[in-house]
Amino acid sequence: MWLPEDRSRAADMVESRGLRARDARALAHASLPVARGIAAPEMAVLAARGALRAADVPADRLDALCHAWMYYQGHDLWSPPHYIAHEIGALRAVPFGIQQVCNGGAAAVELMAAYLSTSQVSDSGTPGSGRPKWGMVTTADRFVEPGFDRWSSDYGVAYGDGSTAVVLRSPAGPGDPLRLLAAATVAAPELESMHRGADPFASAPHTFRAKVDMRATKRAYLHRHGDLDFSEVNERAVHAVVDTVLRDAGVGPDDPRLQYAVLPRFGMKLLTENWIPVLSARVGAKVENFGQDTGHLGAGDAVANIADLLKGRFLAPGEMALVFSAGAGFTWSCLLVQAVGGVSGND
């Protein structure tokens, strides 16, 4: 994870009346990282280089690179993943772009894992018997004026600037710090208009509003669908992804190896009402929030949480964590990761 040094302070925003005091209390972020003088794809390059160094993998070994993002990447008709691959020297990699809004990073990890495992085939056609396949997932978002108000463009979520990167390989090796045991995603596409609102389709960005205003689109949606109980939809989705990854990995919800359930980096009120009770009732793991100092990192929450698990050495060998992500659309994902040790080499 790469974060800029500059910060936007909630207290300053309240004082300038750019943020209501009650909203600041509900979010519970003292400050958010702000990127100045650097574009989102440039931040992704920095995270990618750091991940390659940490993994001790040369860029030309990568078979694929997938970049996920939520907000504007600096050019109107252009491919950020190709730029990132070029800048880090991954000239043999096939670049892909994933734009699944806030859930993009988790979706990219799941899709990259599937891509690497299915393409890891020998010349004889036997799955799993060829050379290891290597991939990278990057994310980067920069939520700046004039098009985005990081503190007030959404309900219950404040947006920090930053980038992430993770190196994956199939099959897993004995030196890997974590193994991805299972991944699951569910969607509720009937809710897509919550971020479209009542606006007609436009011919260019910011046609109807100078800034992204997710509050306006959500109000319009709820005006038409006043009986929606989003907390109930969210609870069903979280249950579904948890049950799927645990079933696929053969792990029980009270398995003592399951140590952490790591939350998306949303505001504290939203997490307290819609996430923490749901997870606490479903699994025996400790529910952990790593997002207090960063806010929501757009597409990067899941990979950032994996980075924090590693940096803080939260998992002993054999222990596991559930890593969650969710985003507009709506889509929910869960990644089940395990620290090396206590896992067979075939996983």
Side-chain angles (χ1 to χ4, degrees):
M1 175 169 52
W2 183 89
L3 298 174
E5 294 182 358
D6 287 346
R7 311 287 296 189
S8 172
R9 287 169 30 87
D12 294 340
M13 294 301 299
V14 171
E15 185 177 352
S16 67
R17 299 189 177 182
L19 176 66
R20 294 186 299 183
R22 69 179 185 183
D23 290 339
R25 290 191 297 270
L27 292 167
H29 302 297
S31 65
L32 299 171
V34 176
R36 305 187 194 281
I38 184 171
E42 293 175 311
M43 295 193 294
V45 169
L46 296 176
R49 289 173 177 162
L52 290 170
R53 285 194 301 270
D56 194 23
V57 174
D60 61 7
R61 188 178 293 182
L62 296 178
D63 296 283
L65 184 147
C66 186
H67 179 61
W69 68 96
M70 174 184 171
Y71 188 54
Y72 189 59
Q73 296 288 287
H75 290 282
D76 295 326
L77 186 59
W78 174 68
S79 175
H82 286 75
Y83 167 83
I84 297 163
H86 179 215
E87 288 295 309
I88 67 173
L91 302 184
R92 195 175 62 83
V94 179
F96 297 97
I98 295 288
Q99 197 169 13
Q100 202 189 50
V101 207
C102 305
N103 200 54
V109 169
E110 184 175 0
L111 292 171
M112 180 63 76
Y115 175 84
L116 295 176
S117 61
T118 55
S119 64
Q120 208 268 319
V121 177
S122 70
D123 293 338
S124 64
T126 304
S129 60
R131 70 170 181 84
K133 293 287 185 177
W134 294 83
M136 171 174 278
V137 168
T138 62
T139 75
D141 278 297
R142 181 173 180 249
F143 302 101
V144 293
E145 301 281 1
F148 203 105
D149 183 334
R150 70 179 68 251
W151 290 102
S152 301
S153 278
D154 201 356
Y155 288 117
V157 182
Y159 293 76
D161 300 342
S163 59
T164 70
V166 60
V167 177
L168 302 97
R169 69 170 166 180
S170 180
D176 298 336
L178 293 175
R179 287 176 181 165
L180 178 66
L181 299 185
T185 297
V186 299
E190 64 272 19
L191 302 181
E192 58 80 22
S193 65
M194 194 174 288
H195 286 75
R196 177 167 52 87
D199 299 336
F201 286 95
S203 299
H206 299 294
T207 297
F208 302 111
R209 299 178 187 86
K211 293 182 182 180
V212 173
D213 190 348
M214 290 170 277
R215 294 187 177 199
T217 59
K218 289 176 180 179
R219 286 195 301 267
Y221 180 90
L222 292 173
H223 181 72
R224 297 196 310 272
H225 306 276
D227 58 344
L228 173 70
D229 186 349
F230 184 78
S231 61
E232 181 180 330
V233 177
N234 181 76
E235 182 174 352
R236 287 199 305 268
V238 173
H239 285 176
V241 292
V242 169
D243 293 348
T244 300
V245 295
L246 294 182
R247 182 194 66 228
D248 290 351
V251 175
D254 295 318
D255 192 308
R257 296 173 299 171
L258 192 61
Q259 290 290 303
Y260 293 97
V262 190
L263 297 163
R265 299 184 176 216
F266 301 153
M268 184 54 68
K269 186 174 187 290
L270 181 59
L271 294 176
T272 300
E273 292 180 352
N274 288 349
W275 282 84
I276 295 174
V278 174
L279 289 172
S280 297
R282 203 67 172 182
V283 295
K286 178 184 178 183
V287 180
E288 187 68 58
N289 176 22
F290 291 145
Q292 284 294 103
D293 292 333
T294 69
H296 184 41
L297 294 174
D301 280 6
V303 180
N305 285 337
I306 292 171
D308 275 340
L309 283 171
L310 288 172
K311 182 179 179 180
R313 300 181 182 272
F314 281 84
L315 299 177
E319 292 182 341
M320 307 174 192
L322 298 163
V323 179
F324 291 92
S325 178
F330 271 78
T331 314
W332 294 258
S333 288
C334 180
L335 309 175
L336 177 61
V337 297
Q338 184 177 38
V340 291
V343 189
S344 75
N346 296 322
D347 289 316

